Amino acid sequence: MPLSNTQYDAIMRGYDARRMRANQLQKKRFDEVCAKYPKLREIEDNIASLSVRQARRLLDGDTAALGALKEQLARCRKERSALLAASDIPADYLDVPYTCPACKDRGLIDGKRCHCFVQAEIDLVYTQSNIREILAVENFKALTFDYYSDADVNPANGMSSLATAKEAVAKCLDFIKNFDVRFSNLYFYGDTGTGKTFLSNCVAKELLESGHSVIYFTAFQLFDILSRGVFDKEAEAIAAHKNIFECDLLIIDDLGTEVSNSFTTSQLFLCINERILRKKSTIISTNLGMNQLAGLYSERILSRISSNYTLIKLFGADIRILKRHA
C-alpha cells in the first residue's frame, strides 16, 4: 500500500519511540537485577570484553585464538543462565523487550516491510487503531459461557444454546490453528446479542498477535471505502480499496445493517469473490440467515458463502441485555 512521505515518517517515528522505550526498560531491568545480584554485572562485563576480543581476532585473521574465546564466551553465558535460573528470573527477562521481535521494532527485515509495518499501514489508512482497545476487552481470555443456557434448545438440531456456543468456539480455534495451512472463512449469524461480534474479535486478536494483517469494518464502513475506491481516483482511496482484497483477514461486522442497493450488492459480491480467488480469509457476522441473505443481496452471493464459508449459527438470549440486568 503506497504511503505519503508524511505517513511513512509518522510510522517510522513510532518505531523509533518503541525502540527507545524497549531499550530503557531493558536497562532498568538490568540495573535492578544487578543491584540484587552483583555477580551478574561481572559476568556481563566479561561477556562484553570477550566479544570485543573475539571481533578483533576475527578482523586480524587470528583463527587459532577464536576457538578459545568461543569456549570462554560459552562458559560465561552458561554461568549467566545458571544465575538467572537460580534466582527464579526468566531466561529472556534481560533481553530487549521489543514489541515485534521479528524486526526488533525497526519495521523492516532485510529491506522488506515487516508484518507489523503492514498492520501499521492498515491502522493508519483506515484509522482503526481503536480496534486494539476493543480487542483488549473482547478476547478468548474474557470468554465466558455463563450467558448461554443448557435448557434453551434449538428445535432444528436439538442442540442447546450452551452446546452451540461451545461448538462455535471450537470452530474458531480450529480456524486460527489452521489459518496458514488451510483456506477457510467464517459466517456468524443469529439473533442480536448472541456473541457473533465477540467471537469475531477473539479471532482477530489471536491472528494479530501471530503476525497477520487484519482489517475490521462494519458493513457501512466497508461499502463507504469500496465506493471511494470506485468513484474517488485519489491514490490513497485506490490503495485503501486495494488492500481490502489483500489483507490476511477481513472482518465484515453487522452485514445487512447498511443501506442495500444494487451498488452494495455488486461490491459485496466483488469483495467476497475476489478474496476467495486470492484465498484470503474473511469473517462475516450478521443477523441474516441464508434465505434472508439471498433475498437482500443475490443468489450468487448466497452460493459463494454457502460453498466457501463455515456457517455458524448462534442463538439464545441477548447477552447485552443480560449483562445490563446482572
Side-chain angles (χ1 to χ4, degrees):
M1 178 190 302
L3 294 171
S4 67
N5 289 337
T6 301
Q7 290 173 322
Y8 182 86
D9 290 344
I11 291 176
M12 295 311 293
R13 283 197 300 273
Y15 278 115
D16 291 341
R18 282 188 205 175
R19 288 200 309 279
M20 183 180 296
R21 287 194 298 269
N23 282 303
Q24 288 173 343
L25 179 56
Q26 189 263 354
K27 184 179 185 306
K28 180 181 178 183
R29 288 178 176 179
F30 180 75
D31 289 341
E32 287 174 351
V33 175
C34 286
K36 193 171 182 180
Y37 305 101
K39 179 65 175 177
L40 178 65
R41 191 179 295 278
E42 180 184 329
I43 295 171
E44 290 291 342
D45 288 344
N46 283 339
I47 289 174
S49 175
L50 287 168
S51 297
V52 171
R53 287 166 59 191
Q54 185 183 49
R56 286 175 178 167
R57 294 291 187 276
L58 189 62
L59 289 172
D60 293 340
D62 186 359
T63 55
L66 283 176
L69 286 172
K70 285 180 180 179
E71 288 180 8
Q72 292 177 58
L73 272 170
R75 283 197 297 271
C76 285
R77 286 171 178 150
K78 186 176 180 179
E79 185 180 4
R80 178 182 184 269
S81 297
L83 188 154
L84 293 176
S87 307
D88 291 326
I89 299 171
D92 62 350
Y93 184 71
L94 297 180
D95 295 344
V96 181
Y98 294 114
T99 304
C100 179
C103 68
K104 295 183 170 55
D105 290 345
R106 297 186 180 279
L108 303 173
I109 301 176
D110 296 329
K112 295 181 180 179
R113 293 178 180 184
C114 180
H115 64 79
C116 65
F117 193 107
V118 173
Q119 189 63 42
E121 289 181 83
I122 288 172
D123 290 346
L124 181 64
V125 171
Y126 301 116
T127 60
Q128 65 163 27
S129 296
N130 64 309
I131 191 67
R132 303 278 185 171
E133 298 175 11
I134 296 171
L135 301 187
V137 178
E138 299 193 355
N139 53 67
F140 283 118
K141 289 183 179 178
L143 176 68
T144 176
F145 294 108
D146 293 348
Y147 298 101
Y148 296 98
S149 172
D150 204 23
D152 189 5
V153 177
N154 183 351
N157 59 18
M159 290 181 64
S160 69
S161 171
L162 177 60
T164 301
K166 288 183 176 180
E167 182 179 77
V169 170
K171 288 179 178 178
C172 289
L173 293 173
D174 180 71
F175 176 82
I176 294 164
K177 179 182 178 181
N178 294 290
F179 190 81
D180 292 320
V181 296
R182 186 181 70 213
F183 169 65
S184 59
N185 308 280
L186 301 177
Y187 185 90
F188 295 112
Y189 68 110
D191 295 334
T192 300
T194 50
K196 303 182 297 294
T197 298
F198 185 93
L199 285 180
S200 297
N201 290 338
C202 287
V203 174
K205 180 175 175 62
E206 294 298 314
L207 291 176
L208 278 170
E209 290 188 348
S210 60
H212 298 87
S213 56
V214 178
I215 299 179
Y216 170 94
F217 286 133
T218 63
F220 177 83
Q221 292 170 327
L222 173 68
F223 292 119
D224 179 56
I225 293 289
L226 289 174
S227 67
R228 280 189 268 149
V230 171
F231 300 115
D232 187 344
K233 299 309 177 186
E234 292 294 325
E236 186 172 324
I238 294 171
H241 183 278
K242 180 179 178 226
N243 206 54
I244 288 172
F245 303 128
E246 295 181 348
C247 64
D248 295 328
L249 176 67
L250 172 67
I251 298 177
I252 307 172
D253 195 23
D254 279 338
L255 182 68
T257 57
E258 78 289 347
V259 177
S260 181
N261 51 43
S262 59
F263 175 79
T264 56
T265 296
S266 65
Q267 290 299 299
L268 180 61
F269 178 81
L270 171 65
C271 181
I272 289 173
N273 193 57
E274 187 66 24
R275 288 188 62 82
I276 290 171
L277 292 174
R278 298 185 186 205
K279 296 194 179 301
K280 295 292 186 179
S281 294
T282 305
I283 294 178
I284 296 174
S285 69
T286 178
N287 294 347
L288 302 175
M290 295 296 100
N291 291 335
Q292 293 169 306
L293 179 72
L296 187 60
Y297 297 104
S298 70
E299 292 288 341
R300 287 202 307 166
I301 289 174
L302 172 63
S303 175
R304 291 295 187 278
I305 289 177
S306 60
S307 301
N308 296 278
Y309 283 63
T310 298
L311 307 181
I312 302 176
K313 183 176 183 179
L314 293 166
F315 80 99
D318 188 326
I319 294 173
R320 297 186 189 104
I321 294 176
L322 292 177
K323 285 184 175 180
R324 281 201 296 268
H325 290 87

